Amino acid sequence: MIGTAVVTGAAGFIGSCLVDHLLRDGFSVIGLDNLRTGTKENLTEALSHNNFRFEQVDICSKDIASVVRESVDVVFHLAAISSVKFSLENPVEVNKVNVSGTLNVLELARKLDAKRFVFSSSAAVYGDPKRLPVKEDTPLSPLSPYAASKIAAEMYCLSYGGLYKMTPTIFRYFNAFGPRQEYSEYSGVIPIFISQALQSNEITVDGDGRQTRSFIHVDDVVRATYLASQQENHLASTFNLSGSESISVLDLARMVKELVPESTSNIVFRDAREGDVRDSIGSMERTSKVLGFSPTIPFKVGLDQTVSWYRSRTR
Ligand code: UD1
């Protein structure tokens, strides 16, 4: 299917890569973003495209109903506050954006008669599961306000799927990484470690560094997310999007140091983060069986490419 798509969080790390992918495939795209963490720079390619329109708008605002009036086939909802750490400091704000904001976008999708709603949820919803790799039907167990907000948003998506002719697809992203991931104290561990290494600052490992993540490259995340709009049969389900390698945070710090050989950074340990998940890797059985998708970018290749991208920006 090629048609018209709305992408929320369009100027963000994953959203902007999805916009580029949709445009290349022939979609008309309306991108919404409040530019709080996303940037117009991420949309450089898209903004020169005739089939792209950008609207600077907050998903919590009533204005989203007035900026999109055309008929829309699919809504990809990626806009969110994505930081566990930020959610511990600002739980009410995270609830507003991630839960009420999602409801506002669902209302928009309903009014526009969108047939599909693709929601970017998080592996954080599983907390510390008993069995790994974790499967989609594992009981949910939020360890942070961020995780709780993603569970609540998933429930709203399911309720709209039941009430209206809108098929929700929920992706539980594990730790996405790659070019365009922004750097700040609230960003993911990979941009933080790369930036620390490039500036020869201390590389800050939380806790003992033995907690593990299964990082997945943004190009793989985008390819899978896009597939949800391409299924012949309407697809209502929840899918993990996980990398296949379990990497400890300490090993990640060492790998980043190796890729930045000129760095004089030391690895230092600080207190473990509150609300942190210990080990996170997802089963990709359902995703591969139903969507025919498996990630293709090996972690080290993706990390190397990401370091090069940060280098090119700091020059
Ligand atoms: C990340 C994503 C979240 C996503 C989830 C899915 C970000 C900011 N968070 O959460 O959106 O839904 O994956 O699994 O992209 N760490 C350090 N030193 C640092 C920073 C972090 O040791 O300077 C550690 C953390 O304590 C944690 C690990 O690195 O153990 C990963 O942290 P982070 O990148 O913030 O990701 P998640 O909390 O897993």
Side-chain angles (χ1 to χ4, degrees):
M1 181 199 71
I2 305 292
T4 301
V6 165
V7 178
T8 72
F13 159 46
I14 305 175
S16 65
C17 296
L18 178 66
V19 167
D20 289 343
H21 190 102
L22 288 162
L23 289 170
R24 269 181 237 134
D25 217 59
F27 268 85
S28 292
V29 181
I30 304 143
L32 313 183
D33 203 299
N34 64 359
L35 299 182
R36 175 178 168 156
T37 52
T39 62
K40 281 257 182 97
E41 189 196 339
N42 287 341
L43 291 170
T44 307
E45 186 185 324
L47 286 167
S48 66
H49 209 292
N50 287 338
N51 292 339
F52 182 64
R53 192 174 90 233
F54 177 69
E55 300 284 354
Q56 184 173 348
V57 67
D58 196 302
I59 53 161
C60 297
S61 148
K62 290 265 174 291
D63 294 346
I64 58 171
S66 56
V67 295
V68 192
R69 293 180 180 277
E70 52 268 79
S71 101
V72 161
D73 301 290
V74 50
V75 174
F76 293 94
H77 176 39
L78 289 90
I81 294 177
S82 62
S83 163
V84 171
K85 180 176 147 94
F86 187 89
S87 83
L88 293 165
E89 296 161 13
N90 306 278
V92 175
E93 191 178 347
V94 168
N95 183 75
K96 182 173 158 226
V97 175
N98 291 5
V99 185
S100 301
T102 297
L103 187 53
N104 209 26
V105 177
L106 281 163
E107 273 294 279
L108 174 74
R110 180 177 72 81
K111 282 180 196 143
L112 295 174
D113 219 12
K115 296 289 172 286
R116 293 178 190 200
F117 192 91
V118 184
F119 174 57
S120 297
S121 185
S122 165
V125 300
Y126 297 120
D128 283 324
K130 288 206 182 83
R131 284 209 190 101
L132 292 171
V134 64
K135 292 191 174 185
E136 289 87 346
D137 55 8
T138 301
L140 305 182
S141 173
L143 299 180
S144 64
Y146 169 73
S149 77
K150 286 291 183 181
I151 293 174
E154 283 193 9
M155 295 303 130
Y156 273 114
C157 293
L158 295 180
S159 76
Y160 268 59
L163 284 167
Y164 310 109
K165 284 185 190 144
M166 188 196 300
T167 311
T169 303
I170 293 166
F171 283 108
R172 292 183 179 148
Y173 294 166
F174 285 64
N175 293 57
F177 77 104
R180 294 190 191 170
Q181 189 171 17
E182 78 286 354
Y183 165 73
S184 80
E185 64 169 308
Y186 296 112
S187 62
V189 64
I190 289 184
I192 290 178
F193 282 2
I194 294 176
S195 165
Q196 288 171 334
L198 287 175
Q199 292 172 44
S200 285
N201 291 332
E202 290 178 334
I203 298 182
T204 52
V205 168
D206 296 341
D208 61 9
R210 290 197 189 148
Q211 66 273 40
T212 58
R213 293 294 185 270
S214 52
F215 298 98
I216 178 163
H217 192 276
V218 64
D219 289 353
D220 279 326
V221 170
V222 162
R223 209 158 50 81
T225 305
Y226 174 80
L227 277 179
S229 68
Q230 294 304 302
Q231 298 296 307
E232 282 305 318
N233 303 322
H234 273 190
L235 192 70
S237 198
T238 300
F239 298 102
N240 284 340
L241 274 188
S242 171
S244 50
E245 299 162 69
S246 209
I247 314 276
S248 78
V249 166
L250 183 54
D251 281 345
L252 173 70
R254 292 181 179 133
M255 284 181 212
V256 169
K257 264 198 78 160
E258 254 172 51
L259 290 170
V260 187
E262 74 279 16
S263 174
T264 57
S265 295
N266 290 318
I267 295 174
V268 297
F269 293 86
R270 55 185 191 188
D271 290 345
R273 200 174 63 186
E274 245 187 299
D276 197 33
V277 168
R278 185 69 184 170
D279 297 303
S280 176
I281 184 161
S283 161
M284 288 292 283
E285 205 179 307
R286 182 191 284 176
T287 312
S288 108
K289 211 186 264 173
V290 181
L291 282 179
F293 172 85
S294 304
T296 55
I297 303 174
F299 179 64
K300 275 212 160 148
V301 174
L303 188 64
D304 197 358
Q305 179 223 27
T306 306
V307 170
S308 302
W309 184 79
Y310 279 98
R311 273 189 198 285
S312 70
R313 295 189 84 216
T314 47
R315 241 174 238 141

